[in-house]
Amino acid sequence: MQQFFFEPHPALRSIISSIGVMDADFASAGLPSSYHYPWSAQIRLCFYIQGDLIGVKKKAQDPFTTLGSSFVVGPQLTDTYLDFGKGALTVAVSFRAGGLQRLTGIPIGELTNKEVDAVDIFGTEIALVERQLRDAWQPAAQAAILEQFLLQRLSRAKALLPFDQAINELVKHHGNLSVEKTAALSCLSKRQFERKCIERLGMSPKLFARLIRFSKAYMYKEGHPQLSWIKIAHEFGYHDQMHLIHEFKQFTGHNPSAIDKELPGSLKLVNLFERGT
């Protein structure tokens, strides 16, 4: 398995955080193809350009539904189960919080808990992007194709507002800023700020902050498996270990202590593009 990440063009850095390429062969590696994916505030534009298409379902007992070769993943405020098949060559754009809404004008609440065909968001140009990605064999060339596609649309993007800068501060502080303080940074009243969060992020500011903290703590534990969950709780601003346990149970369905046993290290494949928030 190979993974590559590319920093975006400077002009795109307020819109997207990274472009990632993953070439995974689950069958040859002896890895399971299906994973349980936790709640996430992350929004991604994904292309499956070679290999099996991905299957998705929201309830464990449901059958998988096969997605198209390019789609946008909205905020996931429920359990999600993914089946990667035998493997695929995947290219994905990770958007910063509020970035997709600035770029397209689409209210993000319309994408919550959904995977939407990329054509419905970006138009028929997506077909050309897919062909170009298939013809480009080098990860850097594939990233450059997506970068150019986004740069061409940048002139239509909404201007960066104090709201966006306030959300960046909230992310920088791992979600540990109060709604009142973040609203003040955005130069909006609390009620205006809450409405703007629904439009730009697809959820309330309080839930967004909780998901940011969870995501940061989860990924940090992946990178530092030797650290105790008590240390992680302290590091990321949880009141105590019980607070962390409650949040993890809601967002993953597991106690933190069970995650290391129940969720294999290969789950990082599922979290590969969780980099925009």
Side-chain angles (χ1 to χ4, degrees):
M1 177 189 315
Q2 294 181 302
Q3 302 176 10
F4 305 89
F5 292 103
F6 300 92
E7 293 293 325
H9 187 283
L12 292 170
R13 287 177 188 167
S14 69
I15 299 284
I16 68 175
S17 61
S18 69
I19 299 173
V21 179
M22 178 180 75
D23 190 357
D25 188 337
F26 289 81
S28 296
L31 295 172
S33 63
S34 298
Y35 295 93
H36 177 198
Y37 193 57
W39 291 32
S40 174
Q42 178 67 73
I43 298 173
R44 299 179 300 281
L45 168 62
C46 300
F47 295 86
Y48 283 72
I49 58 177
Q50 184 180 350
D52 292 342
L53 296 177
I54 193 171
V56 63
K57 61 182 179 180
K58 302 301 181 182
K59 296 180 180 179
Q61 66 270 24
D62 290 345
F64 282 103
T65 299
T66 302
L67 297 174
S69 54
S70 60
F71 54 90
V72 173
V73 180
Q76 299 297 304
L77 309 184
T78 184
D79 293 345
T80 302
Y81 298 83
L82 303 177
D83 189 337
F84 293 90
K86 295 179 181 178
L89 177 60
T90 309
V91 185
V93 175
S94 293
F95 288 92
R96 292 199 183 278
L100 180 67
Q101 204 279 331
R102 283 185 57 214
L103 189 66
T104 65
I106 293 175
I108 300 304
E110 296 180 5
L111 304 179
T112 300
N113 295 332
K114 296 178 182 178
E115 297 81 19
V116 179
D117 195 306
V119 172
D120 295 337
I121 306 294
F122 292 100
T124 55
E125 298 170 64
I126 285 291
L128 174 60
V129 174
E130 285 193 44
R131 289 196 296 271
Q132 292 174 333
L133 289 173
R134 290 192 178 97
D135 291 340
W137 289 97
Q138 294 299 319
Q142 292 163 340
I145 288 166
L146 282 180
E147 189 174 78
Q148 186 60 35
F149 168 69
L150 294 170
L151 284 169
Q152 290 171 351
R153 304 180 70 90
L154 194 58
S155 62
R156 313 174 208 174
K158 295 180 179 180
L160 192 69
L161 298 175
F163 171 85
D164 302 293
Q165 296 166 335
I167 291 299
N168 287 339
E169 283 299 307
L170 182 60
V171 171
K172 188 186 299 184
H173 286 83
H174 309 318
N176 293 304
L177 290 180
S178 69
V179 174
E180 290 77 11
K181 183 169 184 178
T182 315
L185 290 172
S186 71
C187 302
L188 298 171
S189 71
K190 182 181 176 183
R191 183 169 295 180
Q192 290 171 326
F193 177 69
E194 289 171 342
R195 286 200 298 266
K196 185 66 72 174
C197 283
I198 297 296
E199 176 190 358
R200 289 283 189 99
L201 309 177
M203 67 192 75
S204 71
K206 186 172 290 187
L207 179 55
F208 178 77
R210 290 171 61 201
L211 281 173
I212 290 299
R213 180 170 51 205
F214 158 76
S215 175
K216 298 288 188 182
Y218 190 98
M219 288 191 291
Y220 195 76
K221 174 65 173 176
E222 282 189 337
H224 303 82
Q226 76 281 3
L227 293 182
S228 69
W229 284 110
I230 294 176
K231 175 68 173 175
I232 297 291
H234 175 75
E235 185 74 22
F236 288 90
Y238 289 96
H239 302 316
D240 51 33
Q241 190 174 6
M242 287 306 299
H243 183 201
L244 179 145
I245 289 171
H246 176 268
E247 298 284 87
F248 270 62
K249 285 184 72 173
Q250 177 172 351
F251 298 144
T252 71
H254 297 266
N255 285 318
S257 60
I259 287 176
D260 295 330
K261 300 175 184 177
E262 304 248 350
L263 304 182
S266 55
L267 183 63
K268 293 178 185 180
L269 299 173
V270 182
N271 287 321
L272 177 65
F273 304 116
E274 189 79 8
R275 298 168 66 88
T277 49

